[in-house]
Amino acid sequence: MRSRRAAFLSALATVSLLAVSACGATADKEDAASGGDKPVSGLRLMVPNTPGSGYDTTARTVAQVMQDSEVASGVQVYNLPGAGGTVGLQRLVNEDGNGKLAMQMGLGVVGAAYTSKSSAKLTHTTPIAKLIEEAGAIVVSKDSPYKTIGDLVTAWKNDPKKVAVGGGSSPGGPDHLLPMQLAQAVGIEPKQVNYVGYDGGGELLPAILGNKIAFGASGFGEFLDQIEAGQVRVLAVTSEKPIEAVADAPTLKDSGIDLVFTNWRGIVAPPGISDAQKKTWIDAMTKMHDSEQWKAELTKRGWTDAFVTGDDFGTYLKNQDKSVASLLTELGLA
């Protein structure tokens, strides 16, 4: 009797175990099939320069939109500044196979990798998505003697060394390339430009407000709060057309200066991540990009939608890398 009872209980336990296992397998398949409908968790987004910079603003906006649109939950954004973004780039490359980590970056990091002689390059990373393009701005403090871009250019041409320009990137970054190209456009030899580099917009802003430099050249989105508060004045934007977010500012072209300049920003992950991990990031960025919340942020911040992902972004990165390397070599900076 005891033997028959033991055999019955054993069989019952086996059936129960198989049932649980089957449910688990079904649940796993359902999770895999509908994983895109559930918020992704545990993602971290590194910003390779200081709080308040353009990268920082973009990364925190991305994280907030991902949260608000229920694409992801608890996205951690943290700063790791240094050497124009290459300290963060090196850390990212060292995180080989870490599918939970990505880095906010852009044109500035491409150039800094060469001017800083970094062993890590963006071509070593896994491309996730190009997000936006943003026009630059020529910015002065509210009490600057320069009321128009014409006033500034006149003073600059009279004594280029005396009129210091600041940017939130190291040599080779967009904030450096912008005033160099502006100088060329107005007839100033770029080698005469007195450029002062800061590690991101968070460090550049106090220099503008404190009149430590004559003007700043950077993405206009970094100064929106200060523009609205009347603390800084935008003399011109570098886009093809006027920008709604800074409607009072003329374009350089409208001011008689033949120059259009745009920066871009995107997200890359460490090398060696799996195809599934890469897909998780790309799917999350795609859903974030398609959300109404992101569209509202594009309008609010005056960003131009420039969304491409994966291999297409990888091709773009390679082309940018070659172009920037060639330019910096000509300038003797690479």
Side-chain angles (χ1 to χ4, degrees):
M1 183 71 176
R2 184 180 300 170
S3 176
R4 187 180 301 172
R5 178 182 175 83
F8 173 76
L9 291 174
S10 176
L12 181 61
T14 300
V15 171
S16 298
L17 180 60
L18 289 172
V20 170
S21 298
C23 288
T26 301
D28 289 343
K29 289 179 181 177
E30 288 177 352
D31 286 346
S34 63
D37 297 329
K38 295 182 178 181
V40 182
S41 62
L43 300 182
R44 303 176 73 213
L45 195 52
M46 181 204 305
V47 178
N49 49 25
T50 56
S53 65
Y55 292 162
D56 186 70
T57 300
T58 306
R60 294 183 189 280
T61 302
V62 166
Q64 188 63 55
V65 170
M66 289 175 76
Q67 181 86 18
D68 293 346
S69 60
E70 299 183 348
V71 170
S73 61
V75 181
Q76 180 188 356
V77 179
Y78 70 99
N79 299 78
L80 186 62
T86 57
V87 170
L89 176 60
Q90 186 65 65
R91 173 65 63 82
L92 188 80
V93 171
N94 290 346
E95 291 281 342
D96 191 294
N98 185 351
K100 291 290 189 178
L101 177 66
M103 184 180 77
Q104 180 69 63
M105 46 67 72
L107 177 59
V109 182
V110 179
Y114 286 97
T115 58
S116 299
K117 312 300 181 186
S118 171
S119 60
K121 298 289 190 295
L122 282 165
T123 50
H124 299 157
T125 67
T126 300
I128 300 300
K130 178 187 175 190
L131 297 174
I132 62 169
E133 291 179 348
E134 181 186 37
I138 305 303
V139 181
V140 297
S141 67
K142 64 180 180 180
D143 53 355
S144 168
Y146 309 121
K147 306 301 182 184
T148 68
I149 188 68
D151 294 341
L152 173 62
V153 168
T154 298
W156 200 17
K157 292 176 72 173
N158 285 339
D159 194 347
K161 293 289 186 181
K162 184 178 180 181
V163 180
V165 51
S169 62
S170 58
D175 290 4
H176 172 254
L177 295 175
L178 169 53
M180 297 302 160
Q181 292 188 17
L182 178 59
Q184 287 181 320
V186 299
I188 298 172
E189 171 59 46
K191 290 183 179 180
Q192 292 185 304
V193 174
N194 180 9
Y195 178 77
V196 183
Y198 296 88
D199 198 1
E203 292 186 4
L204 172 62
L205 180 60
I208 296 172
L209 296 177
N211 292 308
K212 294 180 180 179
I213 52 177
F215 69 100
S218 191
F220 75 89
E222 302 192 28
F223 309 114
L224 282 178
D225 290 343
Q226 289 72 32
I227 294 168
E228 292 175 359
Q231 295 178 309
V232 300
R233 187 165 59 249
V234 180
L235 299 185
V237 291
T238 67
S239 52
E240 183 76 38
K241 299 178 180 179
I243 296 170
E244 183 178 344
V246 281
D248 293 338
T251 66
L252 289 174
K253 294 191 76 171
D254 286 342
S255 303
I257 300 171
D258 188 17
L259 177 65
V260 173
F261 182 93
T262 55
N263 188 13
W264 59 268
R265 295 184 191 133
I267 289 176
V268 294
I273 66 173
S274 69
D275 289 343
Q277 290 169 330
K278 179 179 178 180
K279 185 176 186 300
T280 294
W281 272 107
I282 291 177
D283 286 351
M285 289 297 103
T286 301
K287 290 179 180 179
M288 187 279 302
H289 165 264
D290 292 343
S291 70
E292 292 302 317
Q293 292 92 332
W294 180 248
K295 292 173 184 176
E297 290 293 341
L298 291 176
T299 300
K300 172 185 174 182
R301 299 179 183 280
W303 290 339
T304 300
D305 189 5
F307 192 68
V308 293
T309 63
D311 292 342
D312 289 339
F313 181 39
T315 299
Y316 180 84
L317 266 182
K318 289 177 182 177
N319 290 337
Q320 286 283 291
D321 189 76
K322 290 178 182 178
S323 176
V324 170
S326 176
L327 175 60
L328 293 178
T329 299
E330 289 180 17
L331 295 174
L333 294 173

